[in-house]
């Protein structure tokens, strides 16, 4: 094992981490329903970005912004070898609507806490250490999700991302310029040596098993599609059922179908209809048009494909029966990802050294780590989510659990960095 004597001095300031989680959690606060909303490239997200950049500068990190708006704060190594092949940690600070305070932000701020430990000990890392905050991880305004890290990893051309039109009709590149985060650095010009992302589990497993640390070995596949149904508007009171071409009923039938698909999958496939709109959306008119989104996930690629095919077959069948036209648009399609075994072993060894209960697990949610895994060895650390709740103002992890997770991150980083100096 590596000798890390000189870096034993690194101490995590858990209080500062918790304070920054709370302060960032107040940016974009939703006074009425609780929580906060910092949807990518909005003014409230800009405010969050500005705050994180200020905190990076307070740590005297070199701040760089790339052309898709990814933000990087780097603690340069003792060797002064520039920014190349850094040990990278990070996540995102954009949120869904009425979000919790931890999703993404915890991983970015824990990364700053690691940099702070080096600064306060007056120790420079053996290899540059970079904290990343990736653009548009949530993908709810501009699809796909994990967009900034996908561009960074070379999975989506920059111009295509900049040309993306949002659900609100805005163009991503124009919004990025408007908030002042259209950087100059070429995305991916700094390839990490390794990448570790600390994140809340956002699910119920760790809490249910009373376990502190999740050693995330893999991440399930994700399929997002938008479905549009074109039927005929007609009078709700005069049109017999068998003469209807009811777009609204078809949309509801699809939602029922995908729920049954998941329920009969043995617990591996998950299906969610998160958005549904009817036109003209009035009480006594049979909907002429309906749009809905379907989010399908499974850790196994062949099962995910089977779910997509079953849905496609159902759409053909229901369109014929109801006499409507159904069209689909694939918004996101990411295959399952397996993380780096050596890094996962390092995370597990660190949790064991601290005496923290731990278990190997799969990530149900998408994360930037799944994109960075395309270009560098990557892995994730989870901490418990109370009630398994996330994407909800009630998202919560106990303070001591947040600090323990960050202790593991610091321990993993310092061991990997010390090893790098050999
Ligand atoms: O959709 C996801 O899993 C992530 O929160 N973007
Ligand atoms: Mn997240
Ligand atoms: Mn999220």
């Amino acid at each position: 094992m590596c000798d890390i004597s000189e870096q034993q001095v690194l101490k995590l300031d858990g209080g500062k981490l918790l304070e920054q989680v709370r302060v960032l959690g107040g940016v974009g606060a939703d006074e009425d329903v609780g929580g906060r909303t910092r949807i990518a490239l909005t003014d409230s997200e800009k405010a969050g970005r500005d705050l994180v950049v200020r905190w990076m500068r307070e740590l005297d990190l070199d701040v760089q912004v790339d052309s898709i708006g990814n933000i990087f704060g780097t603690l340069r190594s003792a060797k002064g070898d520039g920014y190349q092949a850094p040990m990278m940690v990070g996540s995102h600070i954009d949120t869904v609507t009425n979000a919790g305070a931890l999703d993404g932000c915890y991983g970015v701020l824990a990364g700053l806490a690691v940099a702070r430990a080096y600064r306060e000990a007056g120790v420079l890392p053996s290899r540059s250490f970079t904290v990343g905050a990736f653009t548009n991880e949530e993908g709810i305004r501009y699809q796909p999700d994990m967009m900034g890290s996908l561009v960074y990893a070379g999975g989506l051309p920059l111009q295509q991302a900049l040309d993306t039109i949002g659900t609100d009709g805005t163009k991503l590149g124009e919004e990025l310029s408007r908030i002042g985060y259209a950087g100059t650095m070429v995305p991916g010009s700094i390839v990490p040596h390794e990448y570790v992302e600390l994140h809340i589990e956002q699910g119920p497993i760790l809490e249910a098993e009373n376990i502190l640390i999740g050693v995330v070995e893999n991440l399930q596949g994700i399929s997002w599609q938008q479905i549009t149904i074109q039927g005929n508007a007609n009078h709700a009171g005069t049109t017999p059922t068998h003469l209807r071409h009811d777009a609204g009923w078809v949309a509801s039938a699809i939602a029922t179908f995908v729920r049954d698909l998941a329920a009969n999958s043995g617990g591996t496939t998950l299906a969610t209809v998160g958005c549904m709109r009817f036109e003209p959306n009035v009480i006594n008119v049979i909907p002429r048009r309906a749009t809905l989104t379907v989010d399908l996930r499974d850790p196994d690629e062949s099962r995910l494909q089977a779910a997509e095919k079953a849905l496609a077959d159902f759409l053909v069948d229901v369109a014929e029966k109801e006499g409507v036209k159904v069209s689909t648009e694939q918004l996101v399609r990411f295959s399952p990802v397996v993380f780096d075994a050596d890094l996962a072993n390092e995370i597990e060894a660190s949790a064991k050294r601290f005496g923290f209960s731990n278990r190997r697990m799969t990530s149900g949610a998408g994360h930037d780590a799944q994109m960075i895994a395309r270009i560098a060895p990557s892995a994730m650390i989870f901490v418990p989510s109370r009630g398994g709740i996330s994407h909800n103002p009630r998202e919560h992890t106990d303070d001591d659990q947040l600090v323990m997770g960050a202790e593991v991150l610091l321990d993993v980083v310092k061991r990997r960095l010390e090893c790098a100096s050999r």
Side-chain angles (χ1 to χ4, degrees):
M1 218 36 207
C2 306
D3 165 18
I4 58 158
S5 52
E6 93 219 41
Q7 293 191 354
Q8 291 292 13
V9 296
L10 296 178
K11 294 275 176 277
L12 185 89
D13 182 344
K16 183 74 173 173
L17 166 61
L18 296 173
E19 178 205 323
Q20 292 195 333
V21 165
R22 268 187 284 280
V23 172
L24 180 55
V27 177
D30 301 316
E31 302 307 340
D32 47 351
V33 294
R36 68 284 305 145
T37 299
R38 289 195 308 272
I39 293 173
L41 312 188
T42 58
D43 290 341
S44 59
E45 202 237 351
K46 169 185 171 42
R49 286 168 169 262
D50 294 347
L51 185 59
V52 168
V53 167
R54 177 156 67 84
W55 286 337
M56 286 180 169
R57 294 221 159 92
E58 285 172 1
L59 286 167
D60 198 16
L61 303 185
D62 292 348
V63 176
Q64 295 165 294
V65 180
D66 73 14
S67 316
I68 193 64
N70 295 320
I71 301 168
F72 301 99
T74 297
L75 175 60
R76 293 223 272 182
S77 75
K79 285 187 291 208
D81 54 355
Y83 305 105
Q84 279 320 311
M87 174 83 204
M88 187 182 284
V89 302
S91 194
H92 61 96
I93 63 162
D94 66 304
T95 73
V96 294
T97 306
N98 305 138
L102 300 170
D103 178 1
C105 303
Y106 171 50
V108 173
L109 299 178
L112 297 189
V114 171
R116 187 173 298 110
Y118 277 91
R119 280 293 185 227
E120 287 174 357
V123 173
L124 286 179
S126 56
R127 168 187 299 279
S128 289
F129 171 70
T130 296
V131 183
F134 292 101
T135 294
N136 189 31
E137 190 277 346
E138 295 294 358
I140 61 173
R141 183 185 185 194
Y142 304 102
Q143 282 92 30
D145 56 348
M146 286 79 71
M147 184 190 271
S149 49
L150 180 61
V151 170
Y152 185 85
L156 177 67
L158 171 64
Q159 196 53 51
Q160 185 179 335
L162 296 174
D163 291 341
T164 304
I165 301 299
T167 51
D168 56 2
T170 59
K171 182 182 274 190
L172 187 144
E174 291 169 3
E175 283 292 276
L176 193 61
S177 301
R178 184 184 66 82
I179 67 167
Y181 277 90
T184 52
M185 187 169 87
V186 174
S189 52
I190 300 180
V191 180
H193 178 67
E194 292 179 318
Y195 177 82
V196 179
E197 182 163 352
L198 174 61
H199 206 286
I200 52 171
E201 178 199 343
Q202 301 180 289
I205 296 168
L206 290 176
E207 182 188 57
E209 297 181 9
N210 195 26
I211 289 179
L212 272 175
I213 298 293
V215 181
V216 187
E217 297 180 299
N218 62 326
L219 188 147
Q220 63 182 345
I222 304 176
S223 164
W224 285 2
Q225 52 186 306
Q226 173 152 297
I227 300 173
T228 303
I229 303 132
Q230 189 61 48
N232 289 345
N234 215 324
H235 196 297
T238 60
T239 313
T241 302
H242 70 284
L243 295 179
R244 292 182 178 213
H245 305 289
D246 184 340
W249 175 81
V250 171
S252 311
I254 292 167
T256 303
F257 177 81
V258 295
R259 166 57 79 93
D260 292 344
L261 199 64
N264 300 324
S265 73
T268 64
T269 303
L270 294 175
T272 309
V273 172
C275 312
M276 188 179 281
R277 277 196 308 272
F278 291 172
E279 292 172 26
N281 201 37
V282 295
I283 189 166
N284 60 357
V285 177
I286 300 167
R288 66 164 169 270
R289 190 170 190 274
T291 55
L292 69 155
T293 59
V294 175
D295 175 325
L296 294 172
R297 308 208 188 189
D298 197 299
D300 178 89
E301 175 62 22
S302 58
R303 285 199 304 256
L304 185 56
Q305 288 180 16
E308 289 173 319
K309 172 129 182 15
L311 174 56
D313 293 347
F314 176 75
L315 295 181
V316 170
D317 187 39
V318 74
E320 195 188 324
K321 281 195 180 117
E322 186 67 10
V324 297
K325 191 171 170 305
V326 175
S327 57
T328 63
E329 180 193 355
Q330 184 91 55
L331 301 174
V332 163
R333 183 58 169 91
F334 297 132
S335 296
V337 167
V338 177
F339 288 130
D340 181 75
D342 187 37
L343 263 179
N345 293 340
E346 187 80 71
I347 293 166
E348 185 176 65
S350 173
K352 283 180 176 164
R353 272 192 301 275
F354 281 111
F356 297 160
S357 53
N358 62 87
R359 60 158 282 168
R360 302 266 173 153
M361 62 195 298
T362 297
S363 174
H367 296 289
D368 293 307
Q370 75 187 87
M371 302 310 175
I372 306 303
R374 297 178 181 210
I375 56 173
S378 303
M380 293 189 75
I381 307 166
F382 277 172
V383 293
S385 292
R386 180 177 291 171
I389 293 169
S390 185
H391 285 188
N392 179 316
R394 290 171 42 226
E395 182 180 277
H396 175 88
T397 300
D398 294 347
D399 285 354
D400 59 338
Q401 294 171 332
L402 292 173
V403 173
M404 288 181 214
E407 292 282 12
V408 171
L409 182 71
L410 173 59
D411 188 59
V412 167
V413 167
K414 72 183 179 185
R415 286 174 186 274
R416 302 305 279 195
L417 285 182
E418 175 45 31
C419 293
S421 68
R422 286 199 173 287

